Amino acid sequence: MNDIFRTLHNGSAIPFDEVPRLEVTAFLQAIIDATDRGWRVSSYFGIPTESGATLCCVLSSKADGLIGMAAADVAGSFPSIARLVPQLQLFEREIAEQCGIPAEEHPWFKPVRFHHSFVPGRDAWGRNPGDPILPGVMEFYRVEGEEVHEVAVGPEHAGIIEPGHFRFQCHGEEVFHLEISLGYQHRGIEQGLVGGPDPRTPFRMETIAGDTTIGHMHAHCMAMEALSGTRVPARAEALRGIALELERLANHTGDLGAIAGDVGYLPTASFCGRIRGDFLNMTAVLCGSRFGRGLVRPGGVLFDLGEAERDDLLARLDAARADLENAVELLWSTPSVMSRLENTGAVSADTARELGLVGPAARACGLNRDVRHDYPYGIFRMAQIPVITTHHGDVCARTTVRWLEAGKSLDFIRDQLRQLPGGGCRNEPGPLQGNRVAVAMTEGWRGEICHVAITDDAGRFLRYKVTDPSFHNWAGLAMALRGEQISDFPLCNKSFNLSYCGFDL
Amino acid sequence: MLREIIARLKQGHRTMAYPKEPVQLPERFRGYPEFPARVERADGEACAAACPHGAITCDGGIALDTGLCLFCPECTAGEYVRFTTDHRLAATRREHLLVRSGGEHQLARPLEPRLRSLLGRSLKFREVSAGGCNACEADTNVLSTIGWDLGRFGIQFVASPRHADGLWVTGPVTENMREALLMTWEAIPGPKIVVACGACAIGGGPFAGSPEARDGVDGILPVDLYIPGCPPHPAAILDGLLRLVGKIEGE
């Protein structure tokens, strides 16, 4: 495969003209062959052109620890290969929506985010360019028959939750099919980045998904550093790693509590709700913001850690670990909780592989994939975190993965705090080099985050592609619901806890 | 059951004493701004031009609009602006968010007496995330955890707009959420109030100027409480709420 794709390492940049420009059939065949051999599609996107688009595919090969890239020019439309490579189905719809060109023979050809295409006047669905595009207006899959009914939920939900529309086809209580339609949080992030970066870019990167501020910002910085040839000081890499794992801890803790809450087990729900705040407050010790705003910037980090803060963090970490263990151990020893978690919302390893799931959702199905381990970057080139997998693929497995990962993150942060490298925290980045492409992947708490930046002659963004882990994983939630009771939807949903804004961009 | 009781004893009672005692804030927290150094006009105009969020102006003296400010550590106004650890950022009028050198700190004011007698002891909100990044949502949600226990003040977030006294808006109001937001507003029985929580809901935040969003809820609905921050700290949110219902007054 390596002779077809141009390979590169995570967090590096190459001249864009070294990416092979294939004839479209050869390009698609190469993707089919590569995925057959176990490569994953990390990103697939189009750069709009006058007559169509330049398609770019970014694949990752775990066995080689390498990223492969190829491109092809298409005019008017492009062939869909989603029937052969299901993990591409959403990417193809996204390309169609953004570039305004249809994906021919796509089995599920519907809008993704409900916006006008990047090319004024061009629309993949032939909608009138002057008409507003309304979210959720599409043909939903329908099951018909006696006693079959449809349940529609959203965009707004009962709690303080982001908006999304869910359409269930049910037979009595049993869900035959769930279709998820998003786009309500679409803020035009990718389109706004064309011609960038500008002084506001870091702030938009930090708010792609606010609960993944560090994960996305770290990926963005890696891309910027690769494009400008900036070296990041070791101390900054360690602090970025600490912040990333604190983000994972806060969110995993919140999820463990929320899962407990959804099965009506209030002790763990209450305790974890508070302990999550303890982790957020540790991030605030680092940089003043509970979400890590303003910590990570191209070239390093903006805040150093003094002795006093380091000792403060170590003490807080020990206290939080004791509280978390105490709160979560209750789950495993309570039969009424376990009976609700086990065998609920199972996704098979085959389905997970075909859909290209990432993060804890994939690891709960036995798929050993973790960017920190497979495509090491930053501090993870020096300090490895063991990858946790379980194999039942159900709510219980996703809960277990989170719990075990939390323990590994706690160990990692403690070790890093005790042996912080000396030196500075930031090197001023230079200007971006022109006509290059950089690929940066990080392991956010939901899974693989992929940023691809392509520059023009002047070193401005020709295209900036963001792929949030939720983009891969929403289909996993839909599959988890098949054959389940509709009343188990909140629990299944919580066990994935996917991002709406990260998906909607 | 015994295990739960033992766990509960170990975890202890953890609801904070705030507002009776001061809230614990991190040393590096960036809150209410102050202006330690005198600014020459040319310098001030340079700071104003450099702020990527348009939060700084220099018309007479330097001024910072906390509704547009994202409280960046790399503030372009440098030594002229210092962010204190004062979390009291919320205000009831949009113009009160403009902080001037030597000006008075405008805190949130209580609802007018009729509304206060109606809502002061029981205030229910329906939250709508209209393009938020989930950070404002998360730190609003946190108020309902045992650490903050919002319920003790008679304030709650409810599932249905029909049960609500007010609308809680996060996010810059995306084109795709505008209709749902307005429908929710319509569904809330009057009299009702609106809270704009976070930089996005006040002025578009990081997404200001995006053709896919509306630069905040101002101009779409009448706002009764503005809570600056990206996202606002839970203490900033609670301070605004408690002042609105008259449970905190004065300094």
Side-chain angles (χ1 to χ4, degrees):
Chain A
M1 292 314 304
N2 298 7
D3 50 348
I4 299 180
F5 294 97
R6 169 69 162 90
T7 56
L8 65 162
H9 285 282
N10 186 14
S12 64
I14 53 169
F16 188 44
D17 59 15
E18 285 184 16
V19 175
R21 211 52 86 90
L22 305 173
E23 190 275 317
V24 67
T25 320
F27 170 73
L28 298 175
Q29 189 60 50
I31 297 173
I32 295 167
D33 293 345
T35 50
D36 272 352
R37 294 185 192 188
W39 289 38
R40 270 194 61 251
V41 178
S42 288
S43 198
Y44 182 33
F45 57 94
I47 306 168
T49 56
E50 222 157 272
S51 58
T54 303
L55 304 180
C56 299
C57 194
V58 177
L59 293 117
S60 44
S61 164
K62 180 184 157 77
D64 308 302
L66 283 172
I67 292 161
M69 253 193 111
D73 290 311
V74 293
S77 67
F78 68 105
S80 164
I81 51 168
R83 284 177 203 277
L84 299 168
V85 188
Q87 57 180 310
L88 282 184
Q89 69 90 14
L90 197 56
F91 283 114
E92 291 180 345
R93 287 161 57 191
E94 186 188 42
I95 291 168
E97 188 170 57
Q98 293 185 334
C99 301
I101 51 170
E104 288 161 35
E105 295 186 33
H106 192 291
W108 197 259
F109 195 50
K110 308 174 187 204
V112 179
R113 304 188 180 101
F114 300 90
H115 60 78
H116 291 287
S117 85
F118 293 177
V119 186
R122 211 157 76 187
D123 190 273
W125 289 270
R127 294 169 295 193
N128 188 346
D131 292 345
I133 294 176
L134 298 175
V137 177
M138 63 178 208
E139 290 283 318
F140 284 88
Y141 182 83
R142 284 194 77 147
V143 178
E144 284 179 2
E146 256 183 81
E147 297 177 3
V148 172
H149 64 107
E150 184 179 74
V151 178
V153 185
E156 288 176 28
H157 308 285
I160 303 180
I161 312 169
E162 293 181 78
H165 184 77
F166 299 82
R167 205 61 86 91
F168 299 87
Q169 309 296 320
C170 299
H171 182 252
E173 288 294 299
E174 188 188 343
V175 178
F176 281 167
H177 178 75
L178 161 62
E179 185 161 4
I180 302 167
S181 179
L182 303 176
Y184 298 91
Q185 306 287 70
H186 179 59
R187 292 145 287 158
I189 290 180
E190 285 188 1
Q191 204 174 0
L193 282 165
V194 175
D198 64 45
R200 294 173 61 194
T201 302
F203 306 94
R204 290 196 169 182
M205 292 291 120
E206 286 185 326
T207 49
I208 288 170
D211 50 27
T212 316
T213 296
I214 302 291
H216 273 290
M217 191 57 187
H218 194 172
H220 171 66
C221 289
M222 283 163 62
M224 299 290 282
E225 287 146 9
L227 288 171
S228 60
T230 310
R231 197 189 62 82
V232 180
R235 191 173 177 87
E237 294 285 25
L239 289 170
R240 286 177 176 186
I242 289 168
L244 184 74
E245 296 313 309
L246 280 175
E247 187 167 86
R248 192 180 321 279
L249 276 165
N251 285 294
H252 279 7
T253 301
D255 286 348
L256 289 163
I259 288 166
D262 270 352
V263 299
Y265 188 67
L266 296 186
T268 304
S270 307
F271 302 150
C272 284
R274 182 190 66 74
I275 302 163
R276 172 179 168 277
D278 290 347
F279 291 119
L280 293 176
N281 289 338
M282 288 183 222
T283 302
V285 169
L286 282 177
C287 67
S289 159
R290 285 154 56 87
F291 294 85
R293 301 284 158 87
L295 176 62
V296 184
R297 287 291 180 270
V301 292
L302 291 186
F303 292 91
D304 197 1
L305 196 64
E307 285 279 306
E309 288 122 19
R310 196 197 61 168
D311 293 343
D312 178 23
L313 278 182
L314 280 168
R316 285 170 185 250
L317 208 60
D318 280 346
R321 182 197 287 265
D323 285 350
L324 187 62
E325 271 174 14
N326 175 266
V328 177
E329 288 297 343
L330 289 174
L331 292 180
W332 319 127
S333 54
T334 308
S336 62
V337 170
M338 292 310 287
S339 74
R340 290 283 284 110
L341 303 187
E342 285 175 341
N343 300 316
T344 304
V347 177
S348 72
D350 282 343
T351 301
R353 202 173 288 113
E354 289 221 335
L355 294 177
L357 298 193
V358 295
R363 295 193 282 274
C365 301
L367 304 189
N368 188 324
R369 37 179 82 149
D370 185 323
V371 179
R372 293 171 295 176
H373 179 266
D374 303 338
Y375 315 96
Y377 61 97
I379 187 67
F380 304 110
R381 284 174 298 195
M382 319 292 291
Q384 279 77 37
I385 295 188
V387 181
I388 305 290
T389 57
T390 56
H391 57 273
H392 288 107
D394 56 4
V395 173
C396 187
R398 289 186 284 275
T399 311
T400 310
V401 166
R402 282 186 171 81
W403 166 235
L404 296 175
E405 286 185 5
K408 301 298 176 200
S409 296
L410 282 163
D411 295 343
F412 172 85
I413 297 170
R414 187 196 54 211
D415 293 348
Q416 290 304 314
L417 284 172
R418 283 181 180 166
Q419 50 175 32
L420 269 183
C425 278
R426 188 160 184 241
N427 293 326
E428 196 58 42
L432 304 190
Q433 294 172 320
N435 298 315
R436 292 177 85 81
V437 53
V439 181
M441 300 202 299
T442 60
E443 184 73 16
W445 62 275
R446 287 192 184 92
E448 179 187 290
I449 294 166
C450 181
H451 285 217
V452 184
I454 303 171
T455 54
D456 62 13
D457 299 334
R460 316 298 298 176
F461 293 143
L462 179 72
R463 182 79 167 90
Y464 194 102
K465 178 84 203 89
V466 176
T467 310
D468 187 84
S470 302
F471 195 81
H472 301 283
N473 281 3
W474 276 109
L477 172 62
M479 292 307 290
L481 255 287
R482 291 224 168 146
E484 289 296 330
Q485 302 259 305
I486 190 168
S487 52
D488 274 337
F489 173 69
L491 179 59
C492 293
N493 188 27
K494 210 67 63 106
S495 74
F496 279 86
N497 192 11
L498 301 175
S499 175
Y500 299 74
C501 54
F503 177 96
D504 288 344
L505 298 177
Chain B
M1 191 62 202
L2 198 57
R3 266 196 298 267
E4 280 88 346
I5 294 169
I6 296 168
R8 171 66 182 77
L9 289 172
K10 273 194 185 152
Q11 298 273 344
H13 171 80
R14 302 296 283 265
T15 304
M16 63 185 69
Y18 181 82
K20 283 190 185 132
E21 287 171 24
V23 66
Q24 298 283 326
L25 287 165
E27 275 177 36
R28 290 174 177 178
F29 175 71
R30 294 179 292 283
Y32 194 77
E34 63 177 21
F35 306 93
R38 185 142 173 88
V39 189
E40 298 306 322
R41 193 179 173 97
D43 284 351
E45 276 167 3
C47 303
C51 173
H53 316 297
I56 298 170
T57 47
C58 190
D59 184 17
I62 194 163
L64 192 146
D65 186 340
T66 55
L68 298 178
C69 181
L70 300 191
F71 301 85
C72 322
E74 69 268 51
C75 183
T76 53
E79 72 223 68
Y80 301 121
V81 172
R82 196 174 75 84
F83 293 109
T84 67
T85 54
D86 187 348
H87 65 281
R88 299 169 307 162
L89 289 158
T92 29
R93 298 172 65 116
R94 182 64 183 85
E95 61 268 26
H96 288 172
L97 299 181
L98 194 68
V99 181
R100 289 182 176 283
S101 177
E104 191 191 345
H105 185 169
Q106 298 280 0
L107 300 162
R109 295 173 188 177
L111 292 164
E112 49 111 346
R114 192 181 60 97
L115 267 178
R116 189 175 156 187
S117 81
L118 199 62
L119 308 176
R121 298 204 299 169
S122 168
L123 179 56
K124 315 284 176 196
F125 285 104
R126 171 63 248 202
E127 193 272 348
V128 175
S129 170
C133 76
N134 205 24
C136 287
E137 291 79 354
D139 261 357
T140 299
N141 243 335
V142 115
L143 291 175
S144 303
T145 62
I146 52 172
W148 297 85
D149 190 16
L150 190 63
R152 67 196 153 125
F153 306 108
I155 305 170
Q156 248 185 330
F157 289 90
V158 293
S160 166
R162 298 285 190 212
H163 302 157
D165 307 304
L167 182 62
W168 189 278
V169 186
T170 53
V173 187
T174 51
E175 287 300 328
N176 284 351
M177 269 309 282
R178 199 170 66 91
E179 191 186 354
L181 180 74
L182 292 175
M183 285 171 76
T184 308
W185 169 248
E186 291 298 324
I188 298 175
K192 51 192 171 183
I193 62 173
V194 176
V195 175
C197 178
C200 280
I202 298 173
F207 304 103
S210 165
E212 301 289 341
R214 291 246 161 177
D215 291 356
V217 71
D218 246 346
I220 300 177
L221 295 172
V223 178
D224 297 279
L225 182 68
Y226 298 89
I227 310 173
C230 185
H233 192 278
I237 303 177
L238 192 52
D239 168 73
L241 274 176
L242 294 183
R243 287 178 188 279
L244 193 70
V245 296
K247 289 197 161 81
I248 303 183
E249 283 171 336
E251 290 287 306

